[in-house]
Amino acid sequence: MRILVSNDDGYLAPGLRSLADVLRPLGEVIVVAPDRNRSGASNSLTIRNPLRYRTMPNGFISVEGTPADCTHLAITGLLDPEPDIVVSGINAGANLGDDVIYSGTVAAAMEGRFLGLPALAISLASYECRHYDTAAEVAKCLVGLIADRHLEKRLLESGAILNVNIPDIPLGDLGGIRATRLGRRRQSEKAIPAKDPNGETIYWFGKQGEAQDEGPGTDFEAIRSGFVSVTPLHTDLTSHREMDRTREWLCDLAIP
């Protein structure tokens, strides 16, 4: 098995190194990651400038681009033969609920799915990040399970990636693993104004909102209870249950 590993924290991130190391017994690991921290880059692609890459002393390939750039370039240009699976992470911080909209970690996995490969996004649900080893072992178990049971085809047919969040606790303290749905955060706090050295007004985005929908079955609830959260995310963003309603009110629209 050829495993493409990427992230959004940059090629020097400790979580990336932990993930690459733990997956090597499962197959050939190729790491293609951003040259610097690109958290929050979401699914953006660099389309008006060329992409430069370098193979670094640690063997990882560093790309001057976004997480999605890294996956796209690896699959469509750099790697021959193509990888069999994409694993993104280990992110320093959770990707729960609304976080997945902005997450570069999720985007690197999603780009792999767009290009026809099964994919997982792995995040350690803490900004202290003391237990990358726990997240790494969970990632190894999941990738091994997918390969052993030939679940790659099922993931591809469903159009899903797996968004995995792991509590930042010792492996032996995990309560288990749960299939979850996305919760939801409250609105972010207001942007914070400040002045730059020239007296111009600048802004820092406010702190992200706390969990709002964190009830039973959510990814928030699983992490709070000490369980690994595995949420299947679909690449089809269509709100199918709103289709009939949308058709109805479009009937009343008269375009001049």
Side-chain angles (χ1 to χ4, degrees):
M1 182 164 57
R2 284 168 60 83
I3 306 168
L4 172 60
V5 172
S6 192
N7 73 347
D8 71 353
D9 290 331
Y11 78 97
L12 291 174
L16 182 72
R17 184 173 62 250
S18 295
L19 182 60
D21 288 345
V22 81
L23 293 180
R24 285 197 174 93
L26 301 181
E28 181 185 4
V29 173
I30 308 100
V31 178
V32 183
D35 62 340
R36 60 191 185 280
N37 192 313
R38 297 302 298 265
S39 296
S42 189
N43 295 83
S44 59
L45 286 173
T46 301
I47 58 175
R48 295 191 179 276
N49 293 294
L51 292 173
R52 299 182 186 276
Y53 75 95
R54 294 174 60 198
T55 300
M56 308 309 290
N58 62 1
F60 294 175
I61 296 174
S62 166
V63 176
E64 294 180 5
T66 67
D69 284 336
C70 293
T71 303
H72 193 99
L73 180 62
I75 296 171
T76 65
L78 289 181
L79 304 185
D80 185 18
E82 292 182 0
D84 300 300
I85 190 170
V86 176
V87 188
S88 178
I90 298 167
N91 190 62
N95 277 303
L96 302 168
D98 309 340
D99 300 343
V100 301
I101 301 296
Y102 311 102
S103 169
T105 304
V106 173
M110 195 72 78
E111 190 66 22
R113 174 61 193 86
F114 288 149
L115 295 172
L117 299 179
L120 299 85
I122 311 292
S123 301
L124 188 57
S126 165
Y127 288 109
E128 296 179 357
C129 292
R130 299 173 179 172
H131 298 283
Y132 281 115
D133 56 331
T134 299
E137 285 299 320
V138 170
K140 180 181 178 182
C141 289
L142 285 170
V143 173
L145 180 67
I146 289 170
D148 291 343
R149 298 192 180 179
H150 303 287
L151 298 178
E152 305 101 317
K153 185 176 180 181
R154 190 176 304 174
L155 279 174
L156 288 174
E157 290 174 347
S158 70
I161 71 164
L162 298 181
N163 184 47
V164 184
N165 283 272
I166 301 100
D168 190 15
I169 57 180
L171 185 64
D173 291 343
L174 288 177
I177 187 165
R178 291 177 177 172
T180 58
R181 64 177 176 87
L182 293 178
R184 190 171 67 253
R185 291 189 183 276
R186 298 183 186 278
Q187 182 177 326
S188 297
E189 295 180 4
K190 291 184 178 297
I192 303 167
K195 296 290 185 181
D196 70 9
N198 296 319
E200 299 289 335
T201 300
I202 58 174
Y203 283 90
W204 293 97
F205 280 151
K207 182 182 178 182
Q208 67 180 174
E210 299 296 329
Q212 181 176 24
D213 178 5
E214 55 180 338
T218 64
D219 45 6
F220 285 103
E221 191 268 340
I223 292 299
R224 187 177 64 247
S225 301
F227 285 76
V228 175
S229 163
V230 179
T231 306
L233 302 180
H234 207 285
T235 55
D236 179 3
L237 299 181
T238 306
S239 179
H240 292 279
R241 65 182 180 181
E242 291 295 320
M243 288 295 292
D244 289 340
R245 186 179 305 177
T246 303
R247 289 191 188 99
E248 289 175 7
W249 62 259
L250 282 176
C251 289
D252 298 326
L253 178 64
I255 299 179

